[in-house]
Amino acid sequence: MKMFLIVVVMMAGQGKGEDLYVFEDPQFKDPMKCIQFVQENSIPLTLKMQTEYPGRIIREVYCVSKPKLSNLIN
């Protein structure tokens, strides 16, 4: 089963809510490989999020299956 890495960031300013950033590459076949990737690449992932969402805070990082990702997006 394909797994995707998702980062949830807090909305800026007074608004409440959050945005999702989905990494389509790399994809993982094993959830543990996804978790290991996040642990080993926390600094580059944080820097990427700071580039994509300046001034916003990372709330959560998830590794989710393709069907669950489809449910989140729809």
Side-chain angles (χ1 to χ4, degrees), residues 28-71:
F28 307 91
K29 292 184 180 179
D30 176 1
M32 293 309 295
K33 294 286 185 188
C34 182
I35 293 168
Q36 181 181 3
F37 178 84
V38 172
Q39 291 171 340
E40 292 174 355
N41 294 284
S42 62
I43 292 173
L45 290 171
T46 300
L47 293 174
K48 174 70 174 168
M49 290 299 91
Q50 288 175 346
T51 300
E52 295 294 325
Y53 297 102
R56 295 174 62 183
I57 299 168
I58 294 174
R59 182 166 173 243
E60 300 285 342
V61 177
Y62 297 102
C63 294
V64 299
S65 65
K66 189 172 184 175
K68 287 186 180 181
L69 176 59
S70 295
N71 287 339

